[in-house]
């Protein structure tokens, strides 16, 4: 046992003001979440209910095992765009009959459940997670197909959906489609490509072309039921494997299908877990309101890992990056956490070696981001900061143990990459409301732009317009700041969701359990890097 | 009678009385033999006996009433004596004679005394001749208006069968006919008689113990006025009426001893009297056996009445059976304190006392001082139970689960001890009259000693049979059950069991549980969040402790605890919630009913297990609402199944003779109004 001790005083003014700032940031998300939960708005919801139908989230809640946790993914997809925040689909990892599954549920009250570019991106992300972690996929389908005005952005890439579904099936990852309503045209291939298909009496409608289009194409007069009703597909076409009498029956059958998958997790079972010795609640006050003020990530680790028990690796070397071993909900992890923002050569080499050790121990890695970049300046360039940064980025790129990233504060510049940013395919990436991610800090970026402008003016012999520069700096700073915010990044699907810092342990536990569906195999051939 | 030695006793009975007799036998180093019917094969009394002999069959007539088989069993098992318990053959002089003729010792009075007291008509004349007051026997043929109300009684039996109250002369012929029919079927003898009926009398009885040397002890009196269907429910010693009536006890004891002496009585017996409010009393009958309610006398006197029966049967003198007995001058040890017994029945008082069947899943009383045994402390609880967890309560016999007895220095304290123990007892699996008993014990009239035979009618079943847990309490119990269910599911989770229950990063809906309780369905919506419990309609309720079996909640500043047991049954999960506020049983409403198991609209289902004895209609018949369709015999009672609406019988799924379970669809009536 190497128990971490806290230096934090929850009664100090710093802590209090940090906690207030974090609470404000969390509260700032409430409005966005409320919009997500509104679905298609009061009228559309009322109309939907009048037909005796459940909303997407109601279907999900009924499908899930009672009292089991559910991690909704990308809830703020399409934030800040013209599309409904949430991207008219619910995705997440939930437990059905004791099996962790990826749930994809269309929200039929938002534009008939049609898919816009963010919908497809969100579904693709969900299917990626399902494939990497071998999670059975349950699609709760009720979608009018593509949001036609946006077809140019989804028609061509959208085929990936069907390709992915059938590849999941080929990889032995079960796919289940419960068809609650329309699943027509392109959507008809979702049941078509799923292992198990449940259709609902007088509700499911699965055809390539509806009566109007059929009439246009061939002159044939037809109706919905004969073209694609549940009765027809269950008795005649054979597309439906199961016939449900109503929505609850479809959910019941869906649960029975999962129960009969005989699904066995093949990853290592977790050790008995122990709660951290320090309170999760304190995580509200760890991150300073101003990201320029560094904080000790051990304060976070102590409130996230089992028993606050953390064995640090190279504690005295490259101290701007904390590395070490711990367990979260019984699952072993190696943790890399930024301590003072900047990564120097020593930190980069320490990280590369630590990543290699985790691979030889088949241990997942957790990256806790608060980094402003690799160190710049003559001294550091000459000491080979690029070489050492590359070493770290190489190690993280070719590491094959699962990676988890949590953006706690800053995640700027190339060290976002070194700390396994989105482009480096971490299995999961979550952000705290206090996070910022961009190529560099907004003020620095605006300052750089200003210096470049001033130099250009000087070179051209022009007089530098200070007033215009100030306006430009403010504008750029504002834009970059806004675009580095977690809501913006979440909207673009650059993370898997913003989480309450106090939920970090729970979210990571869920992620690690999903990961443990398959055995972990580290990269071979790294050999020892003694750096 | 020459002293003899008993080595092995067969008890010709079942349930708690068999266990009670075994207990005293064991204490005396006497081996025990049980006889058991087929449904009783797994009963506790069978397991407790040193030897058990199977009597094939289910009905009492095939088993516990077969004296020949019982005597053969005793001979085969090497028993040297037979104890009859009570009920069954205990007052059958013929059986007693057969036992003696087989060379076995009969633990009870002489067959002649049994015969003399066995007939209610004869016994009355006998004791009246000895100066004991009796109610004037009336000739049914001559009953006049002024003599009403009268009670018709079967001469040959008790237990309420064959008993009718008549308040109008015009009703007499019909009631007589019914009483004769009941008496004939119950006792094989249709002789009945009438006597004046005291509307609000007191049932007071005297426990006697007599030896073969002519000593008769009046051990103490009991009052058993609170009765349902002429069966005792609450019994106590001493009698509140006797206590408050100066000089009554002496007269009562003298009358009882005189009655016993009139027939040279030996062993344990009870003389029953009906008394009015002023303390005037009349001989009713003498029971020539141990009584169900004997424990209250044991608890106030410290005498082991069963052991005394054994001693006396073996030829001992009463004075030698108790310490210092010789100096008592023929008197029994003086009673002290108060004891109250309640009979816990598997029955539903609110549904005309319908007997209940099922599997007893838990049967626990906290703080018991004794089981079948005598008090060793100044106050305490005794449990004489027929069942334990795992016992089946069948349709074949008396539905008594147990007797619970409390004794204490005062009656008030005994009542308090008993009601507290009953409220907190965990009785799971079968519905019982527990709440009725608690309501009686807590009733101000009961506590004041105002306990006449019309107690239940006077205070009303609406009040007395109401659940101890009122609607508010039931709702809290439902919340506790829902939360315990959540905790159980977390504990049993195959994955993610260590994570917070029902955790959501974006919460759209609460968790839901629907629990069907006595007051109706409870929809419990709850979320266990970082901020604590959020449950719709339970603002301010805080979870203090939560695990699958124990839930503590802070409700408006009061921290209370509920225990919850989860039972998976064929029809779903049953949650039994116990607390100081009263026990509540909930059936969890299944979230995903299998549509193939759904019963069609208009289905009439069996309300209890039983057999179809009459079918009045055929498929295709038009019926009107309320029209009887068929008759089910269950638990020795006939239940008529009637059409719930006007319509057509579209399906008739059973025929006469069919055995049905609860919920079996019997017929489907399509409502023609729809």
């Amino acid at each position: 046992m190497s128990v971490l001790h806290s230096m934090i005083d929850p009664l100090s003014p710093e802590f209090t003001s940090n906690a207030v700032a974090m609470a404000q940031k969390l509260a700032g998300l409430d409005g966005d979440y409320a919009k997500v939960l509104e679905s298609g708005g009061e009228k559309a919801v009322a109309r939907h209910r009048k037909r005796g139908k459940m909303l997407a989230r109601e279907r999900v809640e009924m499908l899930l095992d009672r009292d089991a946790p559910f991690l909704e993914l990308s809830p703020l997809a399409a934030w800040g765009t013209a599309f409904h925040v949430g991207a008219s689909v619910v995705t997440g990892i939930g437990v059905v009959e004791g099996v962790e599954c990826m749930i994809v549920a269309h929200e039929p009250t938002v534009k008939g459940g049609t898919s816009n570019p963010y919908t497809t991106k969100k579904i693709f992300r969900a299917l990626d997670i399902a494939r990497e972690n071998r999670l059975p996929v349950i699609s709760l389908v009720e979608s009018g197909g593509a949001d036609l005005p946006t077809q140019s952005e989804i028609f061509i890439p959208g085929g990936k959906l069907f390709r992915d579904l059938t590849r999941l099936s080929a990889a032995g990852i079960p796919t289940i489609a419960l068809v609650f309503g329309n699943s027509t045209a392109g959507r008809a291939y979702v049941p078509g490509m799923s292992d198990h298909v449940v259709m609902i009496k007088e509700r499911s409608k699965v055809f390539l072309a509806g009566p109007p289009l059929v009439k246009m194409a061939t002159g044939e007069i037809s109706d919905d039921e004969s073209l694609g009703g549940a009765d027809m597909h269950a008795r005649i076409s054979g597309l439906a494997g199961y016939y449900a009498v109503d929505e609850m029956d479809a959910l019941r059958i869906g649960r029975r299908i999962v129960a009969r998958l005989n699904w066995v997790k093949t990853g290592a079972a977790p050790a008995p877990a122990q709660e951290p010795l320090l309170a999760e609640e304190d995580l509200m006050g760890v991150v300073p309101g101003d990201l320029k003020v560094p904080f000790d990530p051990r304060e976070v680790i102590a409130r996230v890992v089992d028993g606050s028990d953390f064995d640090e690796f190279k504690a005295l070397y490259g101290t701007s990056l904390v590395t070490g071993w711990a367990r979260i909900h019984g699952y072993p992890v190696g943790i890399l956490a930024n301590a003072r923002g900047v990564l120097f050569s020593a930190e980069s080499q320490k990280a590369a070696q630590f990543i290699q050790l985790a691979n030889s121990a088949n241990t997942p890695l957790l990256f806790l981001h608060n980094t402003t970049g690799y160190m710049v300046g003559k001294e550091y360039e000459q000491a080979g900061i690029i070489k050492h940064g590359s070493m770290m980025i190489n190690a993280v790129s070719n590491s094959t143990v699962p990676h988890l990233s949590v953006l706690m504060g800053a995640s700027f510049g190339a060290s976002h990459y070194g700390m396994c940013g989105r482009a480096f395919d971490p299995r999961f990436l979550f952000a705290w409301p206090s996070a910022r991610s961009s190529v560099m800090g907004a003020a620095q970026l605006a300052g750089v732009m200003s210096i470049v402008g001033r130099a250009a003016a000087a070179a051209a012999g022009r007089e530098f317009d200070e007033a215009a520069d100030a306006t430009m700096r403010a504008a750029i700073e504002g834009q970059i700041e806004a675009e580095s915010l977690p809501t913006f990044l979440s909207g673009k699907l650059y993370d898997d969701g913003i989480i309450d810092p106090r939920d970090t342990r729970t979210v990571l536990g869920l992620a690690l359990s999903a990961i443990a569906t398959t055995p972990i195999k580290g990269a071979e051939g790294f050999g020892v890097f003694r750096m | 009678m020459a002293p003899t030695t008993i080595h092995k006793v067969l008890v010709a009975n079942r349930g708690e009385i068999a266990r009670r007799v075994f207990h005293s036998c064991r204490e005396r180093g006497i081996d025990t033999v049980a006889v058991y019917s087929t449904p009783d094969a797994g009963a506790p009394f069978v397991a407790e006996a040193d030897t058990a002999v199977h009597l094939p069959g289910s009905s009492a007539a095939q088993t516990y009433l077969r004296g020949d088989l019982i005597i053969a069993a005793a001979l085969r098992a090497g028993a040297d004596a037979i104890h009859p318990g009570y009920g069954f053959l205990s007052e059958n002089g013929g059986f007693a004679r057969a036992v003696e003729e087989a060379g076995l010792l009969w633990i009870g009075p002489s067959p002649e005394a049994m015969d003399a007291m066995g007939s209610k008509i004869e016994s009355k004349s006998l004791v009246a001749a000895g100066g004991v007051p009796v109610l004037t026997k009336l000739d049914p043929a001559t009953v006049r208006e002024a003599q009403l109300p009268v009670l018709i009684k079967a001469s040959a039996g008790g237990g309420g069968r064959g008993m009718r109250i008549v308040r109008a002369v015009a009703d007499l012929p019909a009631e007589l006919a019914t009483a004769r029919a009941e008496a004939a079927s119950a006792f094989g003898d249709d002789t009945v008689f009438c006597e004046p009926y005291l509307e609000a009398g007191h049932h007071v009885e005297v426990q006697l113990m007599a030896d073969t040397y002519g000593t008769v002890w009046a051990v103490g009196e009991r009052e058993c006025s609170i009765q349902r269907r002429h069966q005792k429910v609450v019994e106590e010693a001493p009698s509140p009426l006797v206590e408050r009536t100066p000089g009554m006890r002496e007269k009562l004891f003298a009358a009882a001893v005189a009655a016993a002496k009139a027939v040279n009585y030996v062993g344990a017996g009870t003389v029953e009297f009906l008394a009015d409010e002023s303390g005037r009393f009349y001989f009713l009958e003498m029971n020539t056996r141990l009584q169900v309610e004997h424990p209250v006398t044991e608890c106030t006197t410290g005498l082991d009445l069963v052991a005394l029966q054994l001693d006396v049967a073996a030829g001992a003198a009463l004075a030698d059976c108790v310490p210092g007995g010789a100096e008592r001058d023929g008197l029994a040890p003086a009673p002290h304190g108060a004891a109250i017994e309640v009979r816990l029945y598997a029955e539903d008082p609110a549904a005309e006392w319908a007997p209940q069947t099922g599997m007893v899943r838990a049967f626990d009383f906290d703080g018991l001082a004794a089981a079948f045994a005598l008090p060793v402390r100044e106050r305490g609880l005794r449990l004489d139970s027929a069942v334990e967890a795992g016992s089946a309560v069948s349709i074949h016999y008396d539905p008594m689960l147990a007797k619970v007895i409390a004794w204490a220095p005062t009656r008030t304290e005994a009542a308090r001890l008993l009601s507290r123990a009953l409220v907190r007892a965990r009785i799971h699996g079968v519905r019982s009259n527990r709440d009725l008993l608690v309501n009686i014990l807590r009733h101000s009239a009961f506590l004041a000693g105002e306990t006449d035979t019309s107690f239940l009618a006077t205070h009303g079943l609406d009040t007395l049979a109401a659940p101890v847990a009122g609607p508010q309490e039931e709702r809290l119990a439902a919340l506790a059950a829902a939360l315990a269910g959540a905790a159980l599911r977390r504990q049993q989770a195959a994955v993610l069991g260590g994570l917070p229950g029902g955790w959501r990063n974006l919460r759209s809906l609460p968790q839901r549980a629907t629990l069907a309780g006595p007051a109706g369905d409870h929809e419990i919506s709850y979320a266990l969040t970082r901020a604590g419990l959020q449950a719709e309609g339970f603002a301010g309720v805080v979870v203090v402790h939560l695990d699958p079996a124990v839930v503590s909640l802070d409700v408006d500043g009061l921290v209370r605890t509920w225990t919850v047991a989860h039972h998976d049954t064929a029809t779903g999960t049953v949650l039994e919630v116990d607390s100081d506020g009263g026990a509540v049983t909930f059936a969890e409403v299944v979230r995903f009913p299998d549509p193939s198991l759904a019963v069609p609209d208009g289905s009439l289902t069996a309300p209890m297990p039983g057999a179809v004895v009459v079918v009045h209609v055929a498929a295709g018949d038009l019926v009107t609402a309320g029209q009887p369709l068929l008759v089910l015999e269950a638990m020795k009672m006939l239940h008529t199944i009637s059409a719930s609406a006007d319509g057509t019988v579209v399906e008739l799924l059973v025929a006469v003779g069919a055995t049905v379970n609860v919920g079996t669809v019997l017929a489907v009536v399509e409502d023609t109004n729809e």
Side-chain angles (χ1 to χ4, degrees):
Chain A
M1 288 285 281
S2 312
V3 173
L4 290 169
H5 297 283
S6 182
M7 299 296 163
I8 284 182
D9 173 9
L11 297 176
S12 68
E14 293 82 13
F15 181 93
T16 311
S17 83
N18 292 350
V20 167
M22 186 64 88
Q24 281 169 351
K25 287 184 180 118
L26 280 170
L29 297 172
D30 289 349
D32 297 317
Y33 287 139
K35 260 183 243 159
V36 174
L37 297 179
E38 254 171 34
S39 301
E42 221 171 286
K43 267 192 200 161
V45 168
R47 197 166 53 234
H48 188 71
R49 286 199 197 287
K50 220 175 143 190
R51 295 181 187 140
K53 293 182 161 204
M54 290 192 270
L55 299 179
R57 281 186 174 73
E58 292 170 344
R59 289 170 181 163
V60 172
E61 288 289 348
M62 284 293 141
L63 176 67
L64 297 173
D65 285 357
R66 293 171 65 191
D67 302 294
F70 176 63
L71 175 62
E72 185 166 337
L73 296 163
S74 326
L76 294 183
W79 184 93
T81 71
F83 301 105
H84 189 265
V85 62
S88 59
V89 64
V90 180
T91 63
I93 299 174
V95 185
V96 178
E97 291 285 348
V99 177
E100 290 149 296
C101 295
M102 176 59 70
I103 319 274
V104 177
H106 291 275
E107 180 49 90
T109 60
V110 182
K111 285 192 164 185
T114 52
S115 297
N116 60 54
Y118 289 92
T119 318
T120 46
K121 256 194 207 175
K122 184 165 166 177
I123 296 174
F124 293 160
R125 175 61 192 147
L127 296 184
D128 283 347
I129 292 172
R131 190 190 65 250
E132 287 176 339
N133 300 292
R134 293 190 68 82
L135 303 178
V137 176
I138 307 176
S139 302
L140 312 185
V141 190
E142 182 164 20
S143 164
D147 178 24
L148 289 175
T150 65
Q151 69 83 26
S152 70
E153 283 181 78
I154 56 170
F155 167 61
I156 291 173
K160 180 167 144 56
L161 171 61
F162 315 124
R163 184 204 71 182
D164 282 359
L165 273 176
T166 180
R167 283 187 179 170
L168 285 168
S169 173
I173 300 169
T175 51
I176 300 161
L178 313 181
V179 186
F180 285 86
N182 280 326
S183 182
T184 55
R187 275 296 156 216
Y189 292 104
V190 171
M193 298 295 169
S194 294
D195 292 330
H196 304 273
V197 178
V198 181
M199 292 202 198
I200 304 172
K201 181 184 177 184
E202 289 160 18
R203 287 288 165 86
S204 306
K205 222 183 281 181
V206 185
F207 43 61
L208 294 183
L213 187 53
V214 168
K215 184 152 189 275
M216 289 296 291
T218 66
E220 184 188 1
I221 307 288
S222 53
D223 60 65
D224 284 353
E225 273 297 309
S226 64
L227 287 174
D231 262 287
M232 189 285 282
H233 283 305
R235 295 171 203 279
I236 304 174
S237 78
L239 179 62
Y242 302 87
Y243 179 83
V245 297
D246 56 23
E247 294 205 4
M248 284 302 276
D249 193 31
L251 293 165
R252 179 185 71 87
I253 295 169
R255 290 177 55 81
R256 292 309 305 151
I257 292 169
V258 177
R260 294 291 184 190
L261 292 176
N262 305 321
W263 193 247
V264 178
K265 292 178 75 165
T266 55
Q274 203 195 336
E275 287 298 303
L277 303 179
L278 299 170
E280 284 180 337
E281 190 60 37
D282 296 347
L283 291 171
M284 290 293 281
V286 171
V287 183
D290 179 357
L291 286 185
K292 289 199 194 78
V293 182
F295 62 89
D296 186 346
R298 292 175 193 84
E299 297 288 358
V300 174
I301 295 167
R303 289 167 176 82
V304 169
V305 304
D306 289 0
S308 304
D309 184 5
F310 182 64
D311 286 301
E312 202 165 335
F313 169 74
K314 285 197 171 173
L316 306 177
Y317 180 80
T319 54
S320 187
L321 180 76
V322 172
T323 54
W325 311 103
R327 283 179 184 269
I328 297 175
H329 281 291
Y331 294 103
V333 283
I335 299 174
L336 300 94
N338 304 112
R340 278 190 306 280
V342 185
L343 294 172
F344 299 88
S345 290
E347 280 76 10
S348 306
Q349 295 177 64
K350 172 173 160 179
Q353 188 186 358
F354 187 70
I355 291 168
Q356 173 253 319
L357 291 172
N359 273 270
S360 19
N362 302 318
T363 301
L365 288 168
L366 168 64
F367 297 82
L368 297 174
H369 296 229
N370 183 26
T371 178
T372 50
Y374 289 104
M375 193 60 197
V376 296
K378 186 175 67 185
E379 183 191 342
Y380 303 101
E381 297 286 6
Q382 291 178 355
I385 185 72
I386 296 175
K387 289 198 304 180
H388 299 126
S390 299
M391 225 177 254
M392 177 173 171
I393 295 172
N394 176 43
V396 85
S397 302
N398 290 304
S399 158
T400 58
V401 295
H403 296 171
L404 298 165
S405 275
V406 176
L407 277 56
M408 305 182 294
S411 188
F412 295 142
S415 58
H416 169 71
Y417 303 156
M419 291 294 286
C420 199
R422 181 57 127 187
F424 291 78
D425 292 335
R427 292 282 183 98
F428 294 95
L429 186 151
F430 297 99
W432 286 6
S434 46
R436 296 285 183 282
S437 190
S438 51
V439 67
M440 62 184 80
Q444 290 84 346
L445 191 144
V448 169
M449 295 283 281
S450 168
I451 291 164
V452 172
R454 195 180 296 272
R462 270 190 286 110
E463 196 180 331
F464 187 62
D465 184 342
E466 294 289 348
D469 178 62
T471 311
M472 183 277 292
R473 278 179 71 153
I476 290 196
E477 194 174 330
Q479 180 208 332
I480 301 304
E481 170 74 12
E483 290 176 357
S484 70
L485 286 173
T487 40
F488 179 86
L489 300 169
S490 226
K492 288 209 164 315
L493 277 299
Y494 286 148
D495 62 31
D496 296 315
I498 302 169
I499 60 170
D500 186 319
R502 294 166 292 185
D503 283 336
T504 307
R505 173 176 165 81
T506 300
V507 170
L508 293 174
L510 246 144
L512 287 163
S513 180
I515 285 168
T517 304
T518 58
I520 292 164
K521 187 79 195 86
E524 286 169 9
F526 269 154
V528 65
F529 295 125
R530 173 59 60 198
M531 287 175 284
Chain B
M1 182 181 150
T4 167
T5 307
I6 302 173
H7 297 283
K8 195 183 243 187
V9 170
L10 179 142
V11 178
N13 219 299
R14 61 184 297 282
E16 56 86 27
I17 182 55
R19 299 181 82 185
R20 169 69 191 90
V21 177
F22 291 160
H23 174 86
S24 289
C25 287
R26 275 196 307 270
E27 292 232 311
R28 304 253 151 168
I30 297 170
D31 291 341
T32 56
V33 182
V35 287
Y36 65 97
S37 67
T38 305
D40 277 340
F45 80 90
V46 180
E48 271 174 30
D50 296 314
T51 307
V53 181
H54 184 204
L55 305 177
S58 299
S59 69
Q62 290 171 308
T63 55
Y64 301 108
L65 292 175
R66 285 289 300 274
D68 54 339
L69 296 183
I70 292 168
I71 291 168
L75 294 172
R76 251 176 77 203
D80 38 33
I82 289 183
H83 190 298
Y86 36 71
F88 297 127
L89 297 170
S90 61
E91 293 184 89
N92 186 318
F95 177 60
R97 234 170 245 118
V99 168
E100 288 179 348
E101 279 160 14
L104 297 164
L105 184 66
W106 170 250
I107 302 173
S110 68
E112 294 72 32
M114 292 169 71
D115 287 344
M117 286 299 175
S119 157
K120 286 187 180 163
I121 299 172
E122 277 179 43
S123 64
K124 273 195 179 179
S125 346
L126 197 63
V127 300
V132 176
V134 297
L135 283 172
T136 341
K137 196 181 81 181
L138 302 171
D139 179 353
T142 65
V143 171
R144 284 166 293 110
E145 201 68 40
Q147 293 169 311
L148 295 174
V150 297
L151 186 64
I152 308 174
K153 282 174 141 183
S155 176
R161 274 172 295 183
M163 236 185 239
R164 323 291 292 182
I165 300 161
V166 180
R167 293 193 169 83
V169 174
D171 296 341
L172 196 59
E175 295 289 4
L176 275 171
T178 316
R180 284 198 180 104
E182 276 186 20
S185 90
F187 315 111
D189 176 353
D190 72 353
T191 314
V192 297
F193 64 98
C194 286
E195 64 183 29
Y197 178 66
L198 295 184
E199 290 278 9
H202 290 259
H203 179 108
V204 179
E205 60 188 29
V206 178
Q207 175 69 54
L208 297 175
M209 202 71 221
D211 63 18
T212 48
Y213 309 98
T215 305
V216 180
W217 279 354
V219 179
E221 91 282 353
R222 297 185 284 260
E223 181 162 345
C224 320
S225 301
I226 300 181
Q227 305 186 358
R228 59 114 172 100
R229 295 187 158 180
H230 307 289
Q231 275 199 8
K232 297 160 189 168
V233 177
V234 181
E235 298 124 327
E236 56 181 311
S239 151
L241 176 69
V242 174
E243 287 277 288
R244 67 176 172 249
T245 310
M248 183 176 174
R249 181 169 289 125
E250 291 70 25
K251 285 186 215 157
L252 205 58
F253 283 12
V257 170
K261 292 207 162 167
V263 292
N264 295 321
Y265 197 82
V266 172
T270 297
V271 184
E272 297 190 339
F273 298 94
L274 193 60
D276 65 17
E277 205 51 54
S278 67
R280 265 183 311 204
F281 58 86
Y282 309 92
F283 171 86
L284 282 178
E285 60 177 315
M286 179 168 185
N287 291 322
T288 55
R289 53 172 165 83
L290 200 65
Q291 300 271 96
V292 177
E293 58 272 24
H294 74 275
V296 291
T297 303
E298 295 190 325
C299 289
T300 46
T301 60
L303 292 176
D304 181 337
L305 296 176
V306 174
L308 288 180
Q309 282 185 301
L310 295 169
D311 292 345
V312 166
L318 278 175
D320 299 335
C321 296
V322 292
E327 292 96 67
R328 290 186 188 280
D329 199 19
L331 293 179
H336 51 85
I340 304 174
E341 171 184 287
V342 290
R343 297 193 193 180
L344 193 60
Y345 285 105
E347 70 183 11
D348 185 353
E352 304 198 333
W353 314 98
Q356 305 288 307
T357 59
M359 169 71 78
V360 177
R361 295 177 186 278
F363 200 76
D364 303 320
F365 286 75
D366 288 336
L368 289 177
F372 304 106
L374 303 181
V376 289
R377 304 194 321 223
E378 195 185 10
R379 49 176 68 78
L381 279 172
R382 164 171 162 181
L383 176 69
D384 284 17
S385 76
V387 299
E388 48 194 33
S391 298
V393 177
S394 76
I395 59 172
H396 303 290
Y397 316 105
D398 182 82
M400 190 165 81
L401 297 171
K403 305 180 304 204
V404 194
I405 307 104
W407 73 93
T410 66
R411 181 176 183 271
T412 312
E413 190 181 337
R416 197 169 64 204
L417 255 176
L418 192 51
S419 67
R420 182 180 151 89
L422 284 166
V423 166
R424 287 157 185 269
R426 288 168 298 286
I427 304 165
H428 301 166
V430 284
R431 188 190 291 259
S432 75
N433 64 340
R434 175 235 306 256
D435 285 7
L436 170 88
L437 299 175
V438 171
N439 290 332
I440 292 172
L441 292 169
R442 285 177 173 174
H443 200 281
S444 55
F446 177 84
L447 292 172
E450 294 159 11
T451 55
D452 61 39
T453 49
S454 61
F455 187 89
L456 297 184
T458 305
H459 302 292
L461 283 184
D462 287 350
T463 312
L464 294 174
V468 168
Q472 282 293 100
E473 188 63 31
E474 182 176 322
R475 196 159 158 68
L476 275 174
L479 175 65
L483 294 175
L488 181 68
R489 286 186 286 276
R490 296 309 295 144
Q491 195 182 72
Q492 294 176 340
V495 294
L496 303 176
L499 270 65
W503 180 86
R504 300 287 183 270
N505 49 335
L506 177 53
R507 193 177 297 281
S508 56
L509 291 169
Q511 296 289 324
R512 288 215 176 98
T514 308
L515 300 166
D521 281 4
H522 301 273
E523 279 270 2
I524 306 293
S525 299
Y526 60 94
L528 291 159
T529 71
R530 185 175 286 115
L533 171 71
Q534 324 238 292
E536 218 177 291
F538 295 98
V541 174
V542 177
V543 176
V544 178
H545 173 87
L546 175 58
D547 70 42
V550 180
V551 181
S552 295
L553 302 174
D554 180 330
V555 184
D556 299 329
L558 305 180
V559 179
R560 295 183 48 209
T561 298
W562 289 259
T563 60
V564 183
H566 312 254
H567 300 297
D568 286 326
T569 71
T571 49
T573 303
V574 170
L575 294 121
E576 305 263 16
V577 185
D578 292 296
S579 79
D580 62 346
V584 188
T585 303
F586 295 104
E588 176 130 37
V589 175
V590 180
R591 174 165 290 186
F592 296 106
D594 185 338
S596 66
L597 299 178
V599 280
D601 288 347
S603 294
L604 297 160
T605 56
M608 56 184 70
V612 178
V613 290
V614 182
V615 176
H616 291 300
V617 291
D621 284 5
L622 282 171
V623 293
T624 53
Q627 181 179 334
L629 304 184
L630 35 85
V631 180
L632 209 59
E633 190 187 76
M635 315 284 302
K636 297 174 189 156
M637 290 171 73
L638 297 180
H639 301 269
T640 300
I641 311 293
S642 307
S644 49
D646 295 354
T648 311
V649 179
V650 289
E651 276 189 273
L652 187 68
L653 296 133
V654 291
V656 170
T659 309
V660 295
N661 278 319
V662 179
T664 301
V665 179
L666 307 169
V668 182
V669 175
E670 207 171 75
D671 192 340
T672 41
N673 297 327
E674 278 180 6

